Amino acid sequence: MRIRSSRAGMGSTRMTALRCAAAAVAIGLIATGCGAEDSDAGKGLSDALGTTSDINPRNRDDIREGGNLRLVTTTFPANWNTLSNDGNDGEIADVERPMMPRSFSTDAAGALSVNKDYFTDIALTSTDPQQVTYTINPKAVWSDGNPITWEDIRSQANALRGADKRFLIAITNGFEFVDKVERGVDDRQAVLTFKHPYAEWRGQFAGNASLFPKSVTADPDSFNNSLVDAMGPSAGPFVVQSTDRSQGRIVLGRNPKWWGATPKLDTITYSVLDHPAWVGALQNNEIDLVRLNSIDEVKTVRNTQGLALRRAPGNRWRHITFNGAPGSILADPRVRVAISKAIDRQGIATATQNGLVENPKPLNNHIFLQGQEGYRDNSLGFDPAAAAKELDALGWKLNGDVREKDGRKLIIRDVMYNDPLWVQIAQIIQQNLAQIGVKLTIDTKPGAGYFTDVIQPGDFDAAQFIFQGDAFPLGSIRQIYRYDPNDLQGNYGRIGSPELNDLIDRTLAELDPTKAIELANEVDRKVFEEGHSLPLTQSDGSFGVRAELANIGSPGLASYDYTTIGFLK
């Protein structure tokens, strides 16, 4: 499952301005103005996914009992149901990770193991038809005291299958391929039978996905609305202790019904704070951990006593989504492809990652990240001369500085969260497109309502935001790139084709990993050829953290054990 974000946090990204590039628009000035000192800072560092975490790992005996971990978020949850379109946000998901059940845990190399707090066994018990059996830990209960049972799994499968369009889902997550969910040997076992094979079955309740109680998923009204104002029953080592929307504060406390290891921390407090203030708050001992996105932020952390820099690239990336809805300025896929070819993504990578990695480079795949098995460059390349010729051939002729066709000027409105880095990226694109006679206007939006009021309704020509993946890269291709006008899920640009849909379905039905990777790369090439969206850069995974914190920092691909996070004795 893939979740989105316009901002930054443990699971989303924003950034303050690059000091040396804040006033520069020309690519050459942005790319080279930081000087040798900043460039040397990234020596030996890469943004490719690796096999390690940087979390200051310590034994439980080294961690003191109690304490409050202070974290930040940029907005209060619009909907606590992360399975819903309104709640499909990385920051909401991060707040909920210490509270919700997941079927598998992930180590730093991306290897999976059954999460024994919730399931004693998960097995592919048949391949013809495909069946998966989940055996639930008999101790597992929701925070309201109700046991976690097979009915919770059945209810979520029914909500996400996509058959009832009244459920405003963010993703079907493979449940459209599930024929039935049945009770196993008792209420603590669920047997899923699939209509045809589904390759990413392990990710249906893992990674960015989690299991919600049937009280949330039972019907469209509860699914869409029951968690708008507050969190419902959860089942992790922590529960919501208090919330204050006016003060911008969420406090998690120990779950008195938790059956696993007792958490070391007493509480986790999230404060709503705009990202430009994050590093200052970290310096002032007001918060304990922040994501870093500029060389200036990295240097600030390095030069502040009591703080530490932790770094392990993870699965997050910046991109541009185009709007191809009928009647939009970019409705013609040939126009979208031409514009894609005119955007210098290498220039963007150099400008925004100089000093953070040794060799900044763009991300050239929509499905796999650099360092992941399956990654290959399927992009169409940077070729502004070809882009100009293609627009000429399509009848978009220069009239002064801007191209025009049938009296309509080729002006693109680029929407983004009001953040200096996103604006800087837009300025680079603005300059690129001006060279081929396309005008780009920059339209910044506040964080509150960015997705619900702007992106989901399609109020943009181009939009910039972040995707956060998980250990199941194929699980999100249907969510983002398959097009059904009656079931958009995460295809906010309303772009696709029957051929692409068919290719996606074939990929997800392929159980041979090697063949699935080949098919996934065919999907990726087709996504580029549709002009659906344009990946920009991959996150380097830098965090600033209080030095005495243990078992948290930059996890890479690994999932956290929230019971062991805490402060050193």
Side-chain angles (χ1 to χ4, degrees):
M1 178 177 175
R2 190 176 297 180
I3 51 179
R4 78 227 167 172
S5 181
S6 60
R7 305 173 293 276
M10 291 175 67
S12 54
T13 298
R14 294 183 55 198
M15 177 180 172
T16 55
L18 295 179
R19 179 186 61 196
C20 57
V25 177
I27 294 174
L29 291 176
I30 295 176
T32 61
C34 292
E37 182 182 357
D38 288 354
S39 299
D40 290 346
K43 189 173 182 179
L45 299 180
S46 170
D47 58 359
L49 290 177
T51 58
T52 61
S53 295
D54 189 2
I55 62 170
N56 189 23
R58 297 297 184 95
N59 294 326
R60 287 181 60 90
D61 292 342
D62 296 330
I63 312 300
R64 71 173 184 254
E65 296 291 334
N68 175 39
L69 175 63
R70 301 164 300 173
L71 302 175
V72 284
T73 181
T74 58
T75 189
F76 214 83
N79 191 325
W80 292 79
N81 180 5
T82 56
L83 303 174
S84 72
N85 228 334
D86 287 351
N88 180 35
D89 186 288
E91 293 195 296
I92 301 173
D94 283 338
V95 173
E96 294 184 12
R97 285 185 193 278
M99 300 189 289
M100 300 305 292
R102 284 177 168 79
S103 53
F104 290 94
S105 299
T106 312
D107 69 11
L112 303 176
S113 60
V114 174
N115 188 334
K116 293 300 181 72
D117 282 330
Y118 302 106
F119 298 93
T120 58
D121 186 59
I122 301 171
L124 180 66
T125 47
S126 173
T127 57
D128 188 18
Q130 180 177 344
Q131 285 187 325
V132 178
T133 300
Y134 290 83
T135 304
I136 302 165
N137 187 330
K139 298 179 181 179
V141 296
W142 297 107
S143 55
D144 61 2
N146 287 317
I148 298 176
T149 73
W150 75 281
E151 292 181 330
D152 296 303
I153 293 176
R154 180 181 63 176
S155 181
Q156 185 156 318
N158 180 67
L160 297 187
R161 66 190 303 181
D164 188 340
K165 304 304 181 186
R166 294 176 300 166
F167 287 93
L168 302 181
I169 61 175
I171 183 174
T172 53
N173 209 25
F175 289 108
E176 70 273 34
F177 304 129
V178 173
D179 181 43
K180 57 186 176 179
V181 179
E182 297 174 295
R183 182 180 184 269
V185 295
D186 57 25
D187 284 349
R188 297 289 192 159
Q189 189 175 80
V191 181
L192 279 65
T193 302
F194 291 75
K195 290 180 282 190
H196 66 74
Y198 177 60
E200 290 283 35
W201 60 269
R202 294 174 184 83
Q204 291 185 297
F205 300 104
N208 288 329
S210 59
L211 177 63
F212 278 75
K214 62 184 179 181
S215 60
V216 173
T217 58
D219 59 71
D221 183 62
S222 60
F223 185 90
N224 300 333
N225 302 314
S226 68
L227 302 189
V228 168
D229 295 321
M231 185 64 178
S234 56
F238 291 88
V239 293
V240 173
Q241 180 173 297
S242 65
T243 62
D244 188 329
R245 189 178 292 271
S246 63
Q247 294 295 318
R249 186 162 292 120
I250 300 166
V251 180
L252 310 185
R254 290 179 179 177
N255 178 4
K257 297 188 183 300
W258 175 243
W259 57 95
T262 302
K264 287 291 185 175
L265 293 168
D266 288 325
T267 54
I268 303 174
T269 299
Y270 283 87
S271 297
V272 177
L273 188 66
D274 282 339
H275 182 266
W278 283 16
V279 172
L282 183 68
Q283 282 185 292
N284 294 335
N285 197 22
E286 297 167 358
I287 55 178
D288 297 314
L289 181 147
V290 299
R291 182 181 292 277
L292 308 174
N293 292 283
S294 75
I295 187 60
D296 284 343
E297 291 181 342
V298 168
K299 289 168 67 177
T300 296
V301 168
R302 282 177 172 161
N303 294 331
T304 302
Q305 187 175 4
L307 299 183
L309 178 67
R310 296 181 187 166
R311 187 183 183 284
N315 44 5
R316 300 163 44 83
W317 65 102
R318 294 178 180 268
H319 85 294
I320 307 169
T321 282
F322 298 116
N323 190 341
S328 66
I329 192 72
L330 299 179
D332 188 338
R334 298 170 296 177
V335 174
R336 298 194 300 268
V337 167
I339 286 171
S340 296
K341 292 179 180 178
I343 295 174
D344 184 5
R345 296 181 304 121
Q346 179 60 61
I348 292 170
T350 302
T352 59
Q353 293 192 320
N354 186 35
L356 296 174
V357 296
E358 183 174 16
N359 181 29
K361 51 186 175 293
L363 179 64
N364 292 313
N365 197 298
H366 293 85
I367 299 169
F368 301 105
L369 297 185
Q370 298 172 64
Q372 252 180 339
E373 183 182 4
Y375 179 82
R376 65 183 62 157
D377 183 349
N378 294 314
S379 66
L380 303 181
F382 174 53
D383 193 343
K389 289 180 181 179
E390 290 168 16
L391 291 175
D392 283 336
L394 293 171
W396 288 97
K397 303 293 185 180
L398 276 174
N399 183 3
D401 293 332
V402 181
R403 292 178 181 272
E404 190 175 292
K405 180 180 180 180
D406 299 330
R408 189 179 191 184
K409 291 185 178 295
L410 192 47
I411 301 175
I412 299 170
R413 184 169 60 93
D414 186 12
V415 171
M416 69 214 69
Y417 176 71
N418 189 10
D419 175 86
L421 177 61
W422 281 127
V423 172
Q424 182 196 9
I425 291 171
Q427 289 173 335
I428 297 173
I429 296 171
Q430 187 179 56
Q431 183 190 36
N432 292 158
L433 296 185
Q435 301 301 310
I436 63 165
V438 177
K439 183 176 179 180
L440 182 131
T441 61
I442 298 172
D443 186 3
T444 59
K445 302 290 185 181
Y450 181 75
F451 286 104
T452 55
D453 300 338
V454 180
I455 302 302
Q456 288 171 211
D459 185 15
F460 62 89
D461 298 322
Q464 301 179 44
F465 54 94
I466 284 164
F467 277 132
Q468 176 177 320
D470 54 24
F472 312 97
L474 302 187
S476 61
I477 60 176
R478 203 174 195 273
Q479 173 193 15
I480 308 299
Y481 307 115
R482 195 180 194 280
Y483 180 57
D484 178 349
N486 298 313
D487 184 19
L488 291 175
Q489 296 187 42
N491 192 342
Y492 305 121
R494 296 153 173 82
I495 293 169
S497 66
E499 295 79 14
L500 180 56
N501 288 355
D502 179 66
L503 186 56
I504 288 171
D505 290 343
R506 286 167 50 207
T507 303
L508 293 176
E510 180 54 67
L511 294 181
D512 182 296
T514 301
K515 293 178 180 177
I517 285 173
E518 291 300 318
L519 287 168
N521 274 289
E522 290 183 33
V523 170
D524 181 52
R525 180 69 180 189
K526 187 67 174 175
V527 170
F528 275 112
E529 291 172 348
E530 292 275 355
H532 177 283
S533 52
L534 200 60
L536 298 175
T537 57
Q538 189 167 322
S539 171
D540 65 288
S542 295
F543 284 81
V545 60
R546 206 149 303 287
E548 62 178 332
L549 263 177
N551 299 317
I552 192 171
S554 187
L557 291 175
S559 46
Y560 283 129
D561 179 352
Y562 285 91
T563 69
T564 66
I565 294 172
F567 298 90
L568 293 173
K569 292 179 178 177

